[in-house]
Amino acid sequence: GEGSASAASNSVTPASPQTITFNNPGTQNFGTTPTLTASSSAGGGYVVTFTSSTTGVCTVTSGGVLTFVTAGTCTINANQAGDTSFLAAPQVSQTFSVAPVVPGAPTIGMAIAGDTQASVAFVAPVNTGGSAITSYTVTVNPADVAPLNGASSPVVVTGLTNGVTYTFTVTADNVAGTGAASAASNPITPGATQTINFANPGTQTFGTTPTLSATADSGLTPTFTSATTSVCTITAVGALTFVTTGNCTINADQAGNGSYLPAPQVSRTFAVNAGVPGAPTIGTATPGDAEATVTFTAPASTGGTSITGYTVTASPGGATATGAASPITVTGLTNGTSYTFTVTATNVTGAGAPSAASNAVVPRLLTVVGTLPGMTGAATATLSGGGPTCTLDPTSGFASLSNPAPAGKTMPYGEYAFQATSCTGTVTMSITYPQPLPAGTQFWKFGPATAAVGGVAAASTWFQLGGASLSGDRLTVTYTITDDGAGDSDATPGRISDPFALAAGPVGGDAVGIPVDAPWALGLLSALLGFLGWRRQRALERG
């Protein structure tokens, strides 16, 4: 009998069959991009698609556009997937040959001249024609020699004529034949070779300007350049200039001419060591008391390293002073002696050349500072005029009276006595006191009241000085003395001796009253009168 039924099968939809018509395209040339066509028996609405079974030789788009990878045998498949109405079509494959073609043009590179030859560089063509390139051919223009073959770049072309200018083109060959030529190369002119003889100059010293030399066996003149311009520079003919210390590298080249090729560059490296500094530029010397201050400008050349100091030397005598910069003061000089000065700069290498001599100066004492009786603080006295050699003697200064005060006068502040030497004409003395002078103060001098006659001075006495002036703040008295004039108690020409004192006279007689224009002046006047009375009392007691 009949057993039980199986489970139900998968569902199917019966459809009509279809077939593909795909004709063999025949042999194709490498480098072309043909488009294949095929059709389905189901009609135009059913598009046939393509695939490649030999992608190492050819590839194809689904729409049929071929691309050839190399020459060889190409197999292309045609398919139509079908739908609910038509079954998938049986695949149809066509196999055909891809034939090689000649290569494309190489890309020209650089041509380099040699002695009766040239080296020509190039790059293989992008399109090999579908077959391996078997060789390259270099063609010479002008055609002095036959084309030369080579397997790769570069190709050396021999048999050229020195002094003739050439260009070159390159073609590639494969089994299909010779391809198109490259563009022309750069022009070159073969020539004889030459070499440069350039000896290392050895260690050099900063601040020098040596000239280097080199020769070429061609007889042509080499030129120079610096590879280290921060250390050294050089002219084309070899004159060196050093910028700083360090290592200097100089290149020697010879560019060649119609008969000779450029020479291989020769480089030489050598040390540039520090040298002594150059000479400073002298400025101005200014005299002082047994000293002089000298200004100067740093030398243009430091010797290639930092300047560590400067030395100023006096002439005559050779007294020196050192310092780090301008100005520098030289002490220990002799007042009244004329000096000039030179300056040298020093670095780690040593001292450089001296500067030119300065202007001549004569050190001299012009200002005296001291204390005086009856006042608190220091007074100053300054001499001016009398010529460039007029100098105060060190004995000048403030002290008690060296001669008794004139009758009826009191000089409570002592005197200022100066001696000046090497003077001509008139000198001016300015005395500044630490406290304002009382009103009515008189200015007296001890010395001859008249000028010297025949080199003989009159007897010295105290006499009241006319022409002296007092500053508005009543601190500074200024007066003048002429050599061998009134008040100069030294009749020697060029020497002036001059004690000066402040006096307050008694009331009445020829006394000059001291105006009381401030309370402090009144107090000072009372003190002076009291001091005068005390002195008189002491005189009576001694008598």
Side-chain angles (χ1 to χ4, degrees):
E2 181 176 353
S4 299
S6 68
S9 71
N10 57 293
S11 61
V12 297
T13 302
S16 301
Q18 62 170 326
T19 59
I20 293 174
T21 300
F22 175 26
N23 297 323
N24 193 302
T27 299
Q28 301 294 308
N29 286 332
F30 184 87
T32 61
T33 55
T35 300
L36 303 180
T37 61
S39 61
S40 169
S41 62
Y46 291 83
V47 177
V48 176
T49 59
F50 300 93
T51 59
S52 171
S53 295
T54 54
T55 53
V57 175
C58 58
T59 61
V60 70
T61 67
S62 61
V65 179
L66 278 167
T67 298
F68 301 124
V69 179
T70 187
T73 300
C74 174
T75 298
I76 299 298
N77 306 313
N79 293 278
Q80 213 300 312
D83 57 13
T84 58
S85 298
F86 288 90
L87 297 173
Q91 184 182 76
V92 178
S93 296
Q94 298 292 349
T95 299
F96 53 91
S97 296
V98 179
V101 296
V102 297
T107 301
I108 196 67
M110 178 66 69
I112 300 174
D115 187 1
T116 69
Q117 64 182 27
S119 174
V120 182
F122 52 88
V123 177
V126 175
N127 178 12
T128 65
S131 178
I133 293 176
T134 57
S135 66
Y136 294 92
T137 301
V138 178
T139 301
V140 182
N141 180 36
D144 283 2
V145 297
L148 296 178
N149 293 329
S152 62
S153 173
V155 172
V156 176
V157 180
T158 60
L160 302 177
T161 302
N162 285 346
V164 175
T165 300
Y166 296 90
T167 60
F168 307 89
T169 57
V170 182
T171 57
D173 300 294
N174 64 10
V175 295
T178 300
S182 69
S185 72
N186 56 294
I188 58 96
T189 304
T193 59
Q194 59 171 329
T195 57
I196 294 173
N197 179 25
F198 177 24
N200 194 305
T203 299
Q204 301 293 309
T205 301
F206 186 90
T208 60
T209 55
T211 297
L212 303 185
S213 62
T215 59
D217 57 7
S218 63
L220 302 176
T221 301
T223 58
F224 298 94
T225 57
S226 171
T228 53
T229 53
S230 61
V231 175
C232 55
T233 61
I234 194 169
T235 65
V237 295
L240 272 169
T241 298
F242 299 125
V243 180
T244 186
T245 56
N247 288 327
C248 172
T249 298
I250 299 298
N251 304 321
D253 294 275
Q254 214 304 307
N257 59 13
S259 300
Y260 287 92
L261 296 173
Q265 186 181 78
V266 178
S267 297
R268 296 289 181 255
T269 299
F270 51 90
V272 180
N273 290 342
V276 296
T281 301
I282 196 66
T284 302
T286 303
D289 178 16
E291 66 182 26
T293 299
V294 181
T295 64
F296 53 90
T297 303
S301 171
T302 64
T305 187
S306 299
I307 292 175
T308 56
Y310 296 90
T311 300
V312 179
T313 303
S315 178
T320 62
T322 59
S326 173
I328 293 175
T329 298
V330 182
T331 60
L333 303 179
T334 301
N335 283 339
T337 298
S338 178
Y339 293 91
T340 60
F341 303 88
T342 57
V343 184
T344 57
T346 302
N347 63 14
V348 293
T349 303
S355 68
S358 72
N359 55 297
V361 296
V362 179
R364 49 190 177 138
L365 177 64
L366 295 176
T367 300
V368 172
V369 180
T371 59
L372 65 165
M375 285 192 181
T376 302
T380 61
T382 300
L383 179 72
S384 60
T389 60
C390 187
T391 304
L392 284 175
D393 286 354
T395 57
S396 303
F398 298 90
S400 300
L401 293 178
S402 56
N403 294 280
K409 302 296 179 184
T410 180
M411 294 178 171
Y413 306 126
E415 70 181 17
Y416 169 70
F418 77 87
Q419 293 76 42
T421 58
S422 302
C423 303
T424 58
T426 299
V427 299
T428 298
M429 180 60 67
S430 296
I431 304 174
T432 299
Y433 293 91
Q435 297 170 9
L437 300 182
T441 298
Q442 301 169 359
F443 308 130
W444 287 71
K445 288 179 54 59
F446 187 84
T450 59
V453 177
V456 178
S460 294
T461 61
W462 283 107
F463 66 93
Q464 193 165 0
L465 178 64
S469 63
L470 180 63
S471 62
D473 58 8
R474 307 186 67 82
L475 290 174
T476 302
V477 177
T478 302
Y479 60 94
T480 59
I481 295 292
T482 300
D483 184 27
D484 293 337
D488 181 7
S489 57
D490 189 329
T492 303
R495 291 183 57 86
I496 299 174
S497 181
D498 173 45
F500 171 87
L502 304 174
V507 177
D510 63 351
V512 178
I514 303 176
V516 180
D517 53 3
W520 63 265
L522 181 60
L524 181 59
L525 177 59
S526 299
L528 289 173
L529 293 175
F531 175 78
L532 182 59
W534 175 82
R535 288 193 59 184
R536 287 174 179 165
Q537 181 64 35
R538 293 284 294 169
L540 290 174
E541 291 173 354
R542 287 194 298 270

